[in-house]
Amino acid sequence: MTLVISKEQIALAPKVLLHDHLDGGLRPQTMIDHALASGYTKLPSYEPEQLAKWFVEACSSGTLELYLETFEHTISVMQTTEEIIRVARECVLDLAADNVVYAEVRGAPELFTRKGLTMDQVIEATVEGFNQGMAEVAHNGKKIRVEHILCALRQNHVSDEVATKVVKYKGRGVVGFDIAGPEAGFPPTDHIKAFNYLRDSGAHYTIHAGEAFGVESIALAVNECGAQRIGHGIRLIDDIDFSSGEAKLGSLAQEILDNQICLEMAPTSNLQTGGAASYATHQIGIMKKLGFNVTLNTDNRLMSGTSLTREMELLVDTFGYGLEDLEIFQMNAAEGAFQAIDDREELIEMINEGFSEAGR
């Protein structure tokens, strides 16, 4: 039976976040500070509240391509070691304030090399920022673990190099690999060499697929590239036939359900890019009901004006979820984390205990 859940319980519940972009979660004031210090003059506003509002409105265009254009501003103020460290540190502090206990935050190193930093320097600055944030959170009596996923951009040609960095920094703050960017015209198989190298090296990887493009993108990610998780995957709904009144799964949907391949969904982001028309019709509701391994994520906290708590609240308001429903999302995420079995089990236990306490 569904439990009644309050906003206070949602806020206090321990959370696991698998899909969050570092350059999509900057504090507006930090952007302004960095822009003023570096001479970047193109910010739409130099007032924090107005800047935050601009990002949400600009990203609600209905297309992924226009959504991605807004990142030029955040990327432009993350081009020095000091800037990257500050953004990464504040990311950890903001997630901890939202009671996230484990997060995998991703970013594309190639984007932050405009002023001469190497990819290694970008990665090391990001991990240093995460470490500073985690130490500060621990000093204040809380606990959070934040790891880094390295992205390659599907439209560029550095995925092989980024994959080698994943292996190089494995166990030193980096837990996996991803490809991101526009899907149309840039299939994941363009990066098959990188995926084969990662698999042979025992490294983890996820793939953005089925966010703004069709089922074929997901099929390539799973069947050709061997994706362990799928970023978004909302277009998998197109492989499910509801015409008879009951869900009839196509071969790909059945495969993903049978193998419980983790789907990293982010409802608010998907509404902004036109992947869903409303929260009520977002694919996460029916796919959870059908038993898919669905997780709840923020994607880009600045662009969506969101947090994991807010995403939970929206699902509770939309689908009438109770505490145990929200726990399912968190357990799925804990089990899908790019960690060793012992670490995942410890995380699962933490989620169990935290939700038990929240239900009292």
Side-chain angles (χ1 to χ4, degrees), residues 18-36:
L18 298 182
H19 193 122
D20 186 78
H21 291 264
L22 184 63
D23 52 345
L26 281 71
R27 294 177 179 178
Q29 186 61 59
T30 297
M31 292 185 63
I32 294 167
D33 291 346
H34 287 183
L36 292 174

Side-chain angles (χ1 to χ4, degrees), residues 11 14 26 39 67 74-75 129 133 173 192 209 213 222 227 236 250 261 302 304 317 320 333:
L26 281 71
Y67 180 98
T74 60
I75 292 166
I192 193 69
F213 204 61
V222 172
L236 187 63
I261 295 174
L302 171 67
S304 295
D317 291 343

Side-chain angles (χ1 to χ4, degrees), residues 145-217:
R145 180 175 179 180
V146 178
E147 302 279 4
H148 198 24
I149 290 177
L150 305 185
C151 290
L153 298 179
R154 14 182 13 126
Q155 69 272 31
N156 295 342
H157 305 283
V158 298
S159 57
D160 293 348
E161 183 179 359
V162 175
T164 65
K165 303 301 182 187
V166 171
V167 174
K168 177 179 179 179
Y169 288 97
K170 183 181 178 182
R172 294 193 286 155
V174 172
V175 293
F177 175 86
D178 177 32
I179 56 168
E183 282 187 79
F186 303 101
T189 44
D190 286 350
H191 309 275
I192 193 69
K193 183 180 176 182
F195 295 125
N196 289 339
Y197 169 76
L198 291 161
R199 187 166 52 248
D200 292 343
S201 301
H204 296 292
Y205 57 92
T206 178
I207 298 177
H208 274 74
E211 178 183 11
F213 204 61
V215 171
E216 57 267 39
S217 177

Side-chain angles (χ1 to χ4, degrees), residues 298-346:
T298 50
D299 199 14
N300 298 289
R301 287 169 287 116
L302 171 67
M303 281 67 178
S304 295
T306 199
S307 66
L308 206 44
T309 290
R310 179 177 178 271
E311 295 296 316
M312 287 181 170
E313 289 176 352
L314 289 165
L315 293 190
V316 167
D317 291 343
T318 301
F319 299 110
Y321 287 158
L323 196 63
E324 77 281 14
D325 294 298
L326 298 184
E327 185 176 6
I328 288 172
F329 289 117
Q330 302 313 305
M331 293 295 286
N332 287 347
E335 291 169 356
F338 287 158
Q339 290 295 331
I341 293 175
D342 289 348
D343 290 331
R344 292 202 304 270
E345 289 179 349
E346 181 180 341

Side-chain angles (χ1 to χ4, degrees), residues 241-299:
D241 182 0
F242 296 96
S243 61
S244 67
E246 294 185 3
K248 183 178 180 181
L249 275 61
S251 59
L252 178 64
Q254 190 67 57
E255 177 185 2
I256 290 175
L257 176 63
D258 290 345
N259 293 313
Q260 285 293 286
I261 295 174
C262 181
L263 303 173
E264 309 161 355
M265 291 192 175
T268 298
S269 175
N270 299 147
L271 264 66
Q272 289 178 294
T273 59
S278 67
Y279 289 103
T281 59
H282 190 279
Q283 296 86 342
I284 198 168
I286 186 63
M287 298 190 81
K288 175 183 178 293
K289 187 178 293 186
L290 292 173
F292 284 89
N293 184 359
V294 179
T295 62
L296 182 64
N297 300 276
T298 50
D299 199 14

